[in-house]
Amino acid sequence: MIDAGAMDRETLAALLRWYSDMGVDCALGETPVDRFALSLRPPTPAPEALPSEASDSAPFEPAPPPAPAASPPRAPVVSPSPPRPSLAPAAALSHDSAAASAREQAATAQNLEELRERLAAFDGCALKNSATQLVFADGAPDARIMIVGEGPGADEDRIGRPFVGRAGQLLDKMLAAIGLDRTKVYIANVVPWRPPGNRTPTPQELALCLPFIRRQIELVAPDFLVLLGASAAQTLLGEKEGIMRLRGHWRDYHCGDKIIRALPMLHPAYLLRAPMKKAQAWRDLRALKHALDKTGHS
Ligand code: URA
């Protein structure tokens, strides 16, 4: 445990800078909180009986062991006690009802603005609680090319637009290399709220947000989808393969009665960390350019 009180200003500032550089930029508790289970618990009349956040169980965690008995061990209880309600089905139910609400809200949105409003009002995904704001989209809603990334980072969370940080600047350069810019593409993410500390969204978070991004794709109705990174490619294509195997291979994305050609590619944030992989990204960009030229898109 760090004793911040024993540090001088400069050391403390350097430590905070280091945390921020490592992606630790929001204050969270030390133990996970199962908010689905919390929301399902009946209100407790006595205030002292309220569960404390720090001691709350993680999802599906076994109940904590009983406190050591002060008296000598008793004989085993022979009569069966009534079954304890388990948190797991309750949490699953809560997730299910949030997922049902997401499907209903997304499916009935008539246009992108309505979808944005419904997403902003949707409380089923806990990512919203730690994010600054919704990051819905950027670019041209009538574009023939839609780019889907993973989720907002710190810069996107602050500004409210996707791909505006370093990865976004690299994405702009990649697009420029094949004659594209943000007036010719539409950009969104599979999760529209920043995961804390830029962690990968969980399968539950991805599943809850999936109806919204699917509807967003349906409303934009592009001819080409570019899926950046594993989260976008696996979630939207229903694939389990890693991005290294998926990248560069065209897939069909089924969208109502339309089939959209989808190209998984390496995520620009990954390319910043692994510049040697830019050659592969360049091959994929050329494949995209070739497909655009063949179908008469400039
Ligand atoms: N990475 C993403 O996947 N999306 C963004 O909007 C920014 C960084």
Side-chain angles (χ1 to χ4, degrees):
M1 178 66 98
I2 291 167
D3 181 4
M7 290 183 189
D8 60 43
R9 260 177 95 83
E10 282 73 33
T11 314
L12 199 51
L15 181 66
L16 286 174
R17 252 195 322 275
W18 182 82
Y19 274 134
S20 165
D21 289 347
M22 295 297 113
V24 183
D25 54 7
C26 36
L28 298 175
E30 298 211 349
T31 45
V33 179
D34 184 350
R35 295 196 188 276
F36 285 129
L38 278 181
S39 68
L40 284 174
R41 282 185 199 163
T44 319
E48 63 273 16
L50 281 173
S52 103
E53 277 213 348
S55 66
D56 199 22
S57 303
F60 315 126
E61 215 173 64
S71 47
R74 291 185 300 167
V77 179
V78 282
S79 61
S81 49
R84 285 183 45 183
S86 147
L87 279 186
L93 236 188
S94 175
H95 174 88
D96 285 354
S97 60
S101 160
R103 282 195 297 274
E104 147 89 32
Q105 292 295 311
T108 51
Q110 294 306 304
N111 52 52
L112 288 169
E113 186 46 32
E114 202 173 309
L115 187 68
R116 196 194 64 74
E117 280 165 14
R118 286 173 181 215
L119 200 42
F122 180 64
D123 287 328
C125 178
L127 287 177
K128 185 180 178 183
N129 301 334
S130 52
T132 307
Q133 59 183 314
L134 175 76
V135 176
F136 185 65
D138 196 20
D142 60 349
R144 300 293 77 215
I145 305 153
M146 178 163 174
I147 298 173
V148 185
E150 178 177 288
D155 293 316
E156 290 77 17
D157 181 60
R158 190 167 40 82
I159 293 169
R161 278 171 45 216
F163 283 99
V164 291
R166 282 182 66 222
Q169 287 157 21
L170 178 55
L171 176 64
D172 286 340
K173 286 186 189 157
M174 291 162 68
L175 293 174
I178 54 167
L180 297 175
D181 59 31
R182 291 189 190 222
T183 65
K184 298 189 184 111
V185 299
Y186 181 83
I187 308 178
N189 284 303
V190 274
V191 300
W193 295 283
R194 182 195 183 205
N198 293 349
R199 66 163 170 74
T200 304
T202 64
Q204 288 80 3
E205 290 158 356
L206 289 164
L208 283 169
C209 297
L210 183 59
F212 290 102
I213 184 66
R214 282 188 64 86
R215 183 70 180 141
Q216 205 168 352
I217 295 170
E218 199 173 5
L219 289 167
V220 174
D223 293 328
F224 296 97
L225 263 180
V226 175
L227 307 176
L228 296 176
S231 291
Q234 292 170 339
T235 306
L236 288 169
L237 298 175
E239 287 279 357
K240 288 208 160 50
E241 291 272 30
I243 189 65
M244 287 304 175
R245 280 180 185 273
L246 291 173
R247 62 142 281 272
H249 297 285
W250 287 99
R251 299 291 170 113
D252 285 345
Y253 174 82
H254 295 265
C255 186
D257 47 13
K258 184 175 160 124
I259 292 180
I260 300 173
R261 299 191 73 202
L263 184 64
M265 282 186 49
L266 299 178
H267 195 289
Y270 173 70
L271 296 174
L272 288 171
R273 295 193 301 273
M276 296 280 284
K277 303 286 182 203
K278 283 185 182 172
Q280 292 178 8
W282 176 235
R283 270 206 293 281
D284 300 344
L285 281 172
R286 284 185 32 197
L288 175 63
K289 170 81 174 139
H290 182 69
L292 293 172
D293 289 347
K294 242 178 45 183
T295 50
H297 293 283
S298 53

